[in-house]
Amino acid sequence: MFNYKDVLETIEMVEREHLDIRTVTMGISLLPCIRATGEATAQTVYDLVCKKAENIVKVTEELSKEYGIPIVNKRVSVTPVSLICAAYPEKSVLVGRALDKAAKTLGIDFLGGYSALVHKGTADYERVFLNTIPEVLSTTDMLCSSVNVGSSKSGINMDAVKLMGQVVKDTAAATADRDGFGCAKLVVFCNAVEDNPFMAGAFHGVGESDTVINVGVSGPGVVQHASEAVPDADLAELAETIKCTAFKITRAGQLIAKQAAKRLNARFGIVDLSLAPTPARGDSVAQILEGIGLESVGTHGTTACLAMLNDAVKKGGVMASSQVGGLSGAFIPVSEDIGMIEAAERGDINLDKLEAMTAVCSVGLDMIAIPGDTSASTISAIIADEAAIGMINNKTTAVRVIPVPGKNVGEEVNFGGLLGRAPIMPVHDKSSEKFIARGGLIPAPIHSNKN
């Protein structure tokens, strides 16, 4: 049973250590919105989302004041739009704009679900949908897009991987006046989950209830403070300390999630245990790793430290919540973590090391700025590498890279707010074009036969 005591013990974390509920995300099924035309569907989508989520901002602000815990973001995720518009994929743009309009009406931060699931093959309507992404992301403000191109059960759809490399390039070009900002709202997954509360990858899975509440907790500062309190502990003792800290963080998230679901007349979905950093100093996953004993994140030992941190957070969090899901781990977005930003500026971390780190944490290569002249095939190859890590290890991986138009290594891009700033990181200069051009399907590993 949860009571005020569960929250009161977190007050010091809130006041001194940057503890917050990173997001309360309402998932909404759009399946009842399908109509005979794209125009009618778009209007029905707008009406339904506005009705279902009309109180999300009000309720979360009330809960924040009542329990004394900051709730940073209020978001909505919806059924993948490609499914809603399968009969008229060229009209998907109308639904996307209707969703963006609904987000503005509601006053939420982001809305996710302009998404497609093409992990085994790309239907004709899906191909049309994917090609609408650059236009939609360049003409909307709050809408986020995600595409699942692989899974451990199905393999990797390399035709979709090839297409998404070009989609990323086209999205950057379409938002060149904002340094390719559209790509910050676009993520490519392997093993995408249906209950992710974090953007840009959130969508409402077809196996979910009509309306659910998923909550993402976050506490890198709390974990860092706890680690610093035991400077002489061995790694087993340190892991135990992190587990206990994650338990306390997650208890607060569980309480907020259940109360939000009750007050919003929705089903409680999951608590996501992810450590999601911000550009603020003292709220960094990289600084946790450096506090453990690394001179700089990116040096030898970084992957091992991250594996220990990620596992301890999950073990502690699972005990504190009745339903854990989403991504649940440690995020390593370069532009959103001050420690990652500074390590990248020093040259202590690069794409290859980040890729190795993604094998042991959530989620993947995230918010990484690369040169604007990076080829579509190179971006596709980066996506393929991450998808392979996810497929083989049966975990979620993703790529959110931003080829910044007109900028190169040595320069910087600044998106402001939670999206932060990032130095332009180099990519390998040798071509992967012939590999990507082969297309087809990379078969699933042998464990796909376990079912």
Side-chain angles (χ1 to χ4, degrees):
M1 180 177 292
F2 293 89
N3 54 48
Y4 283 91
K5 185 178 178 181
D6 295 314
V7 177
L8 290 175
E9 70 177 353
T10 69
I11 294 301
E12 183 178 1
M13 299 179 187
V14 172
E15 293 181 344
R16 295 179 52 191
E17 300 160 10
H18 301 283
L19 173 65
D20 57 50
I21 303 298
R22 186 53 49 86
T23 180
V24 172
T25 301
M26 175 180 281
I28 301 173
S29 174
L30 298 185
L31 294 175
C33 297
I34 299 173
R35 298 293 184 268
T37 67
E39 290 80 2
T41 298
Q43 183 60 53
T44 308
V45 163
Y46 173 82
D47 293 340
L48 180 69
V49 171
C50 288
K51 178 181 179 181
K52 292 279 190 179
E54 63 179 339
N55 292 319
I56 187 171
V57 173
K58 176 185 174 184
V59 166
T60 51
E61 289 178 350
E62 288 173 351
L63 288 170
S64 181
K65 291 177 182 178
E66 186 174 337
Y67 292 109
I69 302 176
I71 300 175
V72 180
N73 295 297
K74 302 88 180 173
R75 298 167 172 167
V76 168
S77 63
V78 298
T79 309
V81 171
S82 68
L83 302 178
I84 306 305
C85 298
Y88 29 77
E90 69 284 349
K91 296 298 180 77
S92 301
V93 175
L94 299 179
V95 175
R97 290 174 182 159
L99 288 168
D100 190 60
K101 181 183 175 183
K104 292 173 180 175
T105 299
L106 295 168
I108 60 176
D109 301 283
F110 285 110
L111 189 151
Y114 198 79
S115 305
L117 309 176
V118 292
H119 39 280
K120 196 169 186 180
T122 313
D124 290 342
Y125 74 88
E126 300 280 17
R127 188 175 299 277
V128 174
F129 174 84
L130 295 178
N131 283 315
T132 68
I133 291 175
E135 179 185 353
V136 169
L137 293 185
S138 65
T139 56
T140 57
D141 299 308
M142 310 297 181
L143 188 66
C144 293
S145 178
S146 59
V147 178
N148 192 56
V149 298
S151 77
S152 296
K153 293 289 187 182
S154 65
I156 303 172
N157 179 359
M158 290 300 292
D159 292 326
V161 169
K162 178 182 178 182
L163 179 55
M164 288 311 300
Q166 189 61 55
V167 167
V168 170
K169 284 285 288 184
D170 291 345
T171 301
T175 54
D177 60 329
R178 290 168 281 167
D179 288 327
F181 175 70
C183 295
K185 302 186 294 173
L186 172 60
V187 59
V188 185
F189 278 113
C190 178
N191 288 322
V193 296
E194 296 188 325
D195 53 9
N196 170 22
F198 287 100
M199 300 296 169
F203 64 88
H204 185 72
V206 295
E208 297 279 346
S209 301
D210 286 346
T211 312
V212 300
I213 293 293
N214 298 319
V215 166
V217 297
S218 181
V222 181
V223 173
Q224 182 180 349
H225 186 267
S227 300
E228 291 170 350
V230 288
D232 300 320
D234 66 24
L235 291 174
E237 294 168 338
L238 177 58
E240 188 67 22
T241 299
I242 294 171
K243 280 169 56 181
C244 293
T245 303
F247 178 88
K248 294 178 182 179
I249 294 170
T250 308
R251 290 282 282 183
Q254 170 92 348
L255 178 58
I256 295 295
K258 288 207 163 186
Q259 286 295 319
K262 180 179 179 181
R263 299 183 191 188
L264 290 167
N265 194 31
R267 183 173 179 176
F268 164 51
I270 55 92
V271 175
D272 187 310
L273 310 178
S274 298
L275 291 181
T278 73
R281 197 166 298 280
D283 199 26
S284 161
V285 171
Q287 289 176 343
I288 296 174
L289 301 179
E290 290 168 355
I292 291 172
L294 304 174
E295 184 176 355
S296 172
V297 65
T299 193
H300 302 296
T302 297
T303 306
C305 279
L306 184 59
M308 184 272 292
L309 171 65
N310 205 51
D311 181 65
V313 167
K314 291 186 179 184
K315 286 175 177 174
V318 165
M319 288 295 293
S321 177
S322 58
Q323 292 172 220
V324 171
L327 303 171
S328 290
F331 284 4
I332 52 171
V334 172
S335 78
E336 299 174 11
D337 184 314
I338 185 62
M340 291 291 181
I341 293 168
E342 292 175 347
E345 289 174 336
R346 294 190 301 266
D348 290 336
I349 199 162
N350 56 32
L351 273 172
D352 291 337
K353 186 60 178 180
L354 286 165
E355 182 181 297
M357 293 165 68
T358 64
V360 299
C361 78
S362 307
V363 165
L365 298 173
D366 195 19
M367 286 302 291
I368 297 172
I370 59 177
D373 61 359
T374 303
S375 69
S377 61
T378 294
I379 295 171
S380 293
I382 292 171
I383 294 170
D385 282 343
E386 269 306 295
I389 290 173
M391 177 184 70
I392 295 296
N393 291 290
N394 199 28
K395 70 183 294 293
T396 303
T397 53
V399 172
R400 184 165 49 150
V401 295
I402 304 158
V404 184
K407 292 193 175 183
N408 213 322
V409 177
E411 298 181 86
E412 181 182 273
V413 62
N414 193 335
F415 294 120
L418 286 176
L419 294 177
R421 63 182 176 87
I424 310 299
M425 299 181 72
V427 300
H428 288 285
D429 59 2
K430 298 300 187 287
S431 174
S432 309
E433 188 169 359
K434 191 171 182 179
F435 164 63
I436 296 301
R438 286 179 177 269
L441 182 76
I442 292 181
I446 194 64
H447 62 66
S448 64
N449 292 328
K450 286 182 179 179
N451 59 339

